[in-house]
Amino acid sequence: MESYFDRTIQALGQETFDHLQRVRVILFGAGGVGGWCAEALVRTGVKHLTIVDFDVVNPSNINRQVVATRDNIGAPKVKELQKRLLAINPDAEITTINQRYSAQTAETFDFNSYDYVLDAIDSVKDKALLLYRASLSHATVFSSMGAGRKMDTTAVRVTAFKKVEGCPLARAVRHQLKALNLQLQTSNIQLPTSNFQLPTSNILCVWSPELSSASGTLAPVVMTFGSALANFVIRDIASQDAK
């Protein structure tokens, strides 16, 4: 397989490429942003990827989701994405979890067994809970905010979550996180120190401040979001190897 990655090795160097092949990544969301993120990761050399999503392919997905075709409508997205990724790299270890990440399933995930947790969830409650719990682990967490109702790929930005402005999804997630923080004060979760604060505000995000009157979602925009989410992992590993 290594000959397939010659251009990647030329760009990143052998050490970083080898590092990419060792890391363990879990991705939540196999739709528009998540699907393109998964493909970018595997095409760049990530071999150990777990994908979590409960949804099936719908006709409305075809305009923007890498996994959706006319031939697989009704099929689980995670299984269709797994087939696509293994066709790209048969040596990859692609694990699929066909369920929703929620308060009912959160306890089944051990984020400390991964190097990276990637969030491409749409649901506000589930997204906030994921960021909340993942930030308590040793994994590095990256997140995508809303790509819907956006038209301009050049407006897409990358900043810490606390600097995201003008994004309705981010605003709603912040509100939900405040509620979770209040719950934390009376929970049985063991925190590292008595003055520990959740680092969710510093999680690196891809987002757009664009205020569009459009009500749909475009392929170029979700592709940009997904590629940026994957690139967080690649650049983080490259920066580690450069030290």
Side-chain angles (χ1 to χ4, degrees):
M1 274 304 291
E2 214 163 271
S3 61
Y4 296 167
F5 294 105
D6 283 348
R7 296 298 180 92
T8 301
I9 294 170
Q10 290 172 27
L12 299 176
Q14 188 69 52
E15 180 183 4
T16 297
F17 177 74
D18 291 344
H19 192 169
L20 268 175
Q21 298 224 301
R22 294 192 302 270
V23 297
R24 307 190 72 84
V25 180
I26 185 166
L27 168 66
F28 290 84
V33 173
W36 292 108
C37 173
E39 175 142 338
L41 287 172
V42 171
R43 285 190 183 276
T44 308
V46 169
K47 289 183 69 174
H48 306 287
L49 177 63
T50 297
I51 308 167
V52 184
D53 199 303
F54 68 97
D55 206 1
V56 298
V57 177
N58 290 295
S60 61
N61 301 149
I62 292 175
N63 84 308
R64 70 195 182 282
Q65 298 187 13
V66 68
V67 71
T69 71
R70 292 177 180 270
D71 296 328
N72 63 6
I73 292 172
K77 288 181 182 178
V78 290
K79 293 300 182 183
E80 293 302 298
L81 190 53
Q82 181 187 48
K83 286 193 292 187
R84 181 177 177 90
L85 298 177
L86 289 176
I88 294 168
N89 184 0
D91 295 329
E93 177 188 282
I94 309 296
T95 302
T96 62
I97 301 177
N98 190 16
Q99 69 178 30
R100 181 172 190 156
Y101 182 85
S102 66
Q104 289 70 44
T105 62
E107 293 290 346
T108 64
F109 293 92
D110 177 15
F111 295 127
N112 286 314
S113 62
Y114 299 94
D115 299 293
Y116 295 94
V117 176
L118 305 184
D119 158 46
I121 292 178
D122 292 328
S123 164
V124 173
K125 264 192 172 181
D126 298 342
K127 192 180 199 72
L129 183 63
L130 173 62
L131 296 180
Y132 170 88
R133 295 185 72 94
S135 68
L136 290 172
S137 74
H138 299 302
T140 299
V141 186
F142 297 127
S143 178
S144 171
M145 293 296 115
R149 302 177 67 94
K150 311 294 183 184
M151 301 281 289
D152 184 5
T153 58
T154 66
V156 177
R157 300 182 184 179
V158 171
T159 63
F161 181 54
K162 62 185 176 184
K163 294 183 178 180
V164 175
E165 300 174 348
C167 175
L169 179 57
R171 189 182 307 116
V173 169
R174 283 197 188 98
H175 180 78
Q176 189 68 27
L177 283 169
K178 287 179 181 178
L180 288 170
N181 275 325
L182 289 175
Q183 293 176 23
L184 178 64
Q185 307 307 317
T186 57
S187 72
N188 294 320
I189 296 177
Q190 296 297 310
L191 301 179
T193 63
S194 59
N195 62 349
F196 174 77
Q197 293 185 350
L198 289 173
T200 49
S201 63
N202 292 318
I203 290 173
L204 195 60
C205 294
V206 53
W207 62 286
S208 171
E210 181 187 4
L211 299 176
S212 172
S213 60
S215 59
T217 312
L218 294 179
V221 176
V222 294
M223 290 169 68
T224 302
F225 271 68
S227 296
L229 190 60
N231 204 38
F232 288 157
V233 176
I234 298 161
R235 291 185 63 186
D236 189 60
I237 291 173
S239 67
Q240 292 177 39
D241 295 335
K243 293 179 181 177

